[in-house]
């Protein structure tokens, strides 16, 4: 068993708020403490690491990632910052010229940011790429545009629910188009895409990646490839979920923790497929779609509860969130509350939450796996939420503070590639929420992105740096002094008093430079070193 002593830094630990050193034995934290006490350990360890003033924190856990999709986004055409449809088509065409004849993928477009206020058409994609097979996903990855060449290969898309014409696909048509483009990926390229995504995660201090697989997103072969890769390379720890109905018996073969995650009850606000109780503000009569009704959702939770595994759903609109919560409540009535609490079922996104459901989440022990970057991207008085939903409903989106105060278990993720692998950015987004009063303290947000991610997967001995905990940590170069930031100025003032014993974290004020990752260690294994 290898032993490592880290010293001459700052260790963010509940065991000692003034710690400057930490001892690692194998895959566990053995000791945390002061510099003077570290002298007693220095001669008996295999390695001494001089931190040179760096900050050591628990490594981040991204609670919601699509790994192969992330690799495709890193390798494909990034349309996230394009300022017009014309610029997007130019970028697609330039990318196609670097890979003549090859299928082309891209992501991140948002017609709401373009003066043309519309997506590309299939004909425009064909002209830009000279007839390539093209799949370009909208920023929320629930809508896409495809080229005439792809439509020629899958003419059935035009007959499926969600075909909008001129190459625009949503709902089932979108799912089929995406799977078609993904099934064309060979095993070697798939491995390369997954490796690139996991290495990117490690480089930003993520020590554990939670893969939210589902049949409409990726295949079982994709999941098995990812699991094999994680055993062959020094990469972040991997947690896998398989979001499918009737999938309990499939979980062991896939190495999946549960049938949770992106089993979709609804879609997304941006694509107007999130299921709402009242219509969209910018879509006459549109209320989105329920892909699963309450009875089917309940059957899924019941099957998982009886098997003792986690169930979960993708829920965004208020109608969909209610279906997800009520399905778990029905399972508690049928199987008993203790059985449901033991499973620790999950709901993904939980963006539009009616106040009466907050105490139900607590009572049922449901984890809310949420994405703070969604608020940074789409919140605010002039953001996409406001356009789609109107100001009143937009201001109520992503109520992190209300959930946290009530005792809801929160876990933070990116939903990459919807938003980037950027954990400090997510903590900042939660702390500086675009709706006043809905944010968390930096400390609370940091906990949700570290310990919260592990607890969401029913792992309770990780996510903190304390004796006996899993040695999953990151080392950071912090550009300024550590601070304590909280929404309430009185709390912040008390917390910065040395007598409070509250350890500081980097200053995440919007515009301030974020920390740089120097090393990421997962379960005692170094998975990234700058």
């Amino acid at each position: 068993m290898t032993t490592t002593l880290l010293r001459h830094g700052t260790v963010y630990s509940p065991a000692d708020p003034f710690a400057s050193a930490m001892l690692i034995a194998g895959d566990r934290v053995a000791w945390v403490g002061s510099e003077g006490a570290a002298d007693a350990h220095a001669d008996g360890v295999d390695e001494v690491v001089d931190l040179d003033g760096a900050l050591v924190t628990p490594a981040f856990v991204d609670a919601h990632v699509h790994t192969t999709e992330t690799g495709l986004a890193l390798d494909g055409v990034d349309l996230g910052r394009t300022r017009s449809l014309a610029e997007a088509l130019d970028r697609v065409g330039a990318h196609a010229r670097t890979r003549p004849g090859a299928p082309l993928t891209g992501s991140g477009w948002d017609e709401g940011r373009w003066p043309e206020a519309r997506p590309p058409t299939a004909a425009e994609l064909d002209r830009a790429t000279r007839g390539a097979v093209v799949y370009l996903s909208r920023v929320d990855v629930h809508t896409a545009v495809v080229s005439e060449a792809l439509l020629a290969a899958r003419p059935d898309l035009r007959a499926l629910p969600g075909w909008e014409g001129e190459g625009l696909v949503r709902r089932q048509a979108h799912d089929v188009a995406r799977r078609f483009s993904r099934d064309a990926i060979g095993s070697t390229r798939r491995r390369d895409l997954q490796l690139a995504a996991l290495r990117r995660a490690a480089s930003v201090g993520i020590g554990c990646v939670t893969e939210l697989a589902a049949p409409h997103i990726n295949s079982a072969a994709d999941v098995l490839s990812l699991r094999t890769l994680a055993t062959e390379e020094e990469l972040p720890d991997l947690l896998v979920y398989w979001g499918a109905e009737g999938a309990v018996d499939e979980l062991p073969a896939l190495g999946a923790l549960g049938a949770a995650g992106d089993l979709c009850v609804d879609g997304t606000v941006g694509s107007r497929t999130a299921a709402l109780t009242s219509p969209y503000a910018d879509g006459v009569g549109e209320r989105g779609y329920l892909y699963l009704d309450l009875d089917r959702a309940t059957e899924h939770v019941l099957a998982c509860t009886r098997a003792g595994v986690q169930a979960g759903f993708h829920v965004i609109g208020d109608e969909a969130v209610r279906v997800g919560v009520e399905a778990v409540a029905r399972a508690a009535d049928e199987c008993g509350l203790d059985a449901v609490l033991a499973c620790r079922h999950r709901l993904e996104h939980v963006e539009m939450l009616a106040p009466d459901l907050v105490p139900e989440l607590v009572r049922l022990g449901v984890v809310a796996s949420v994405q703070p970057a969604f608020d940074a991207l789409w919140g605010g008085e002039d953001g996409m939420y406001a356009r789609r939903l109107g100001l009143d409903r937009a201001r109520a989106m992503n109520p992190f503070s209300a959930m946290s105060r009530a005792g809801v278990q929160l876990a933070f993720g990116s939903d990459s590639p919807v938003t980037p692998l950027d954990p400090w950015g997510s903590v900042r987004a939660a702390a500086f929420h675009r709706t006043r009063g809905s944010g968390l303290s930096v400390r609370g947000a940091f906990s949700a992105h570290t310990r919260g991610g592990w607890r969401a997967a029913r792992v309770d001995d990780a996510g903190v740096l304390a004796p006996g905990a899993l040695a999953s940590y990151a080392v950071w170069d912090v550009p300024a002094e550590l601070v304590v930031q909280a929404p309430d100025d009185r709390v912040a003032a008390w917390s910065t008093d040395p007598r409070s014993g509250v350890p500081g974290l980097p200053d995440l004020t919007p515009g301030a430079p974020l920390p740089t990752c120097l090393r990421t260690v997962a379960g005692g294994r170094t998975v990234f070193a700058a």
Side-chain angles (χ1 to χ4, degrees), residues 77-152:
V77 187
D78 180 6
L79 303 175
R81 297 187 180 182
T82 51
R83 292 165 293 183
S84 67
L85 171 59
E87 181 186 348
L89 289 169
D90 286 346
R91 189 169 293 187
V92 169
H95 191 81
R97 288 191 291 275
T98 67
R99 304 178 186 187
L104 186 150
T105 61
S107 60
W109 61 267
D110 182 352
E111 76 284 6
R113 300 178 185 173
W114 296 341
E116 299 91 344
R118 67 169 180 87
T121 65
E124 288 170 334
L125 293 180
D126 268 34
R127 288 195 294 271
T129 64
R130 298 182 181 180
V133 173
V134 181
Y135 165 93
L136 302 179
S137 62
R138 193 181 184 279
V139 62
D140 57 13
V141 199
H142 279 248
T143 296
V145 287
V146 299
S147 64
E148 293 287 358
L150 192 151
L151 288 169

Side-chain angles (χ1 to χ4, degrees), residues 18 86 91-92 96 123 140 156 206 224 246 249 256 289 295 303 335 339 364 418 422 465 468 486 510 519:
F18 308 107
R91 189 169 293 187
V92 169
D140 57 13
D156 57 315
I206 296 171
L224 293 173
D249 292 339
Y289 303 93
D295 288 340
C335 300
L364 299 167
V418 176
D422 178 19
L465 300 181
R519 176 172 295 201

Side-chain angles (χ1 to χ4, degrees), residues 265-267 274-277 289-290 313-325 347 352:
V265 173
D266 69 342
L276 309 183
T277 56
Y289 303 93
L290 275 180
F313 304 102
H314 161 119
V315 291
I316 287 183
D318 54 354
E319 182 69 17
V321 174
R322 188 169 295 279
V323 167
V325 176
L347 293 178
M352 200 173 183

Side-chain angles (χ1 to χ4, degrees), residues 171-184:
R171 301 168 61 199
Q172 186 180 348
H174 170 254
D175 293 343
V176 171
R178 175 163 57 183
R179 277 300 301 271
F180 174 78
S181 69
R182 282 18 177 189
D183 287 346

Side-chain angles (χ1 to χ4, degrees), residues 5 11 17 85 90 112 128 257 319 342 397 459:
L5 177 66
V11 180
L85 171 59
D90 286 346
L257 299 176
E319 182 69 17
M397 295 292 282
V459 178

Side-chain angles (χ1 to χ4, degrees), residues 95-431:
H95 191 81
R97 288 191 291 275
T98 67
R99 304 178 186 187
L104 186 150
T105 61
S107 60
W109 61 267
D110 182 352
E111 76 284 6
R113 300 178 185 173
W114 296 341
E116 299 91 344
R118 67 169 180 87
T121 65
E124 288 170 334
L125 293 180
D126 268 34
R127 288 195 294 271
T129 64
R130 298 182 181 180
V133 173
V134 181
Y135 165 93
L136 302 179
S137 62
R138 193 181 184 279
V139 62
D140 57 13
V141 199
H142 279 248
T143 296
V145 287
V146 299
S147 64
E148 293 287 358
L150 192 151
L151 288 169
R154 289 302 303 258
D156 57 315
L157 288 177
R158 292 185 170 91
L160 293 175
W163 168 254
E164 303 289 333
E166 297 192 301
L168 183 66
V169 289
R170 298 194 294 173
R171 301 168 61 199
Q172 186 180 348
H174 170 254
D175 293 343
V176 171
R178 175 163 57 183
R179 277 300 301 271
F180 174 78
S181 69
R182 282 18 177 189
D183 287 346
I185 298 171
S187 58
T188 300
R189 183 164 185 248
R190 179 191 290 120
R191 187 183 191 280
D192 290 344
L193 293 170
Q194 292 171 341
L195 187 60
L198 293 174
R199 284 179 172 166
R200 173 65 65 90
S203 73
V204 294
I206 296 171
C208 180
V209 168
T210 309
E211 167 68 23
L212 275 293
H216 68 281
I217 299 173
N218 46 359
S219 64
D222 185 273
V223 175
L224 293 173
S225 167
L226 182 60
R227 289 192 58 79
T228 299
L229 177 63
T231 65
E232 294 175 346
E233 302 280 346
E234 293 293 353
L235 295 168
D237 287 322
L238 180 69
L239 305 172
V240 174
Y241 290 94
W242 182 243
E245 291 180 270
V248 169
D249 292 339
E250 302 173 37
L251 303 181
L254 294 171
L257 299 176
D262 270 356
L263 174 53
C264 290
V265 173
D266 69 342
T268 66
V269 174
S271 290
R272 293 197 199 90
T273 50
L276 309 183
T277 56
S278 56
Y280 284 87
D282 64 347
V284 179
E286 286 193 72
R287 289 176 49 190
Y289 303 93
L290 275 180
Y291 302 138
L292 287 181
D293 62 19
L294 180 56
D295 288 340
R296 285 174 61 190
T298 300
E299 284 303 311
H300 179 70
V301 181
L302 282 170
C304 291
T305 303
R306 289 165 180 153
V309 299
Q310 286 176 285
F313 304 102
H314 161 119
V315 291
I316 287 183
D318 54 354
E319 182 69 17
V321 174
R322 188 169 295 279
V323 167
V325 176
E326 290 186 359
V328 180
R330 282 187 175 188
D333 292 340
E334 179 78 19
C335 300
L337 181 58
D338 287 345
V340 163
L341 291 173
C343 288
R344 206 177 294 177
H345 299 309
R346 314 169 46 123
L347 293 178
E348 307 297 319
H349 312 308
V350 199
E351 290 195 77
M352 200 173 183
L353 179 64
D356 66 297
L357 294 182
V358 175
E360 271 294 271
L361 289 175
V362 178
R363 182 180 76 87
L364 299 167
V366 173
V367 175
S369 169
V370 298
Q371 292 71 46
F374 287 5
D375 177 73
L377 186 61
W378 297 316
E381 302 287 295
D382 57 352
M384 182 271 289
Y385 293 146
R387 294 195 303 273
R388 290 281 190 267
L389 304 171
L391 276 177
D392 287 344
R393 286 188 291 179
R395 289 171 180 145
M397 295 292 282
N398 299 298
F400 304 139
S401 178
M403 287 193 282
S404 179
R405 284 197 311 269
V408 176
Q409 297 183 62
L410 295 178
F412 284 179
S414 61
D415 197 11
S416 180
V418 176
T419 64
L421 297 166
D422 178 19
W424 283 117
S426 291
V427 174
R428 170 185 277 170

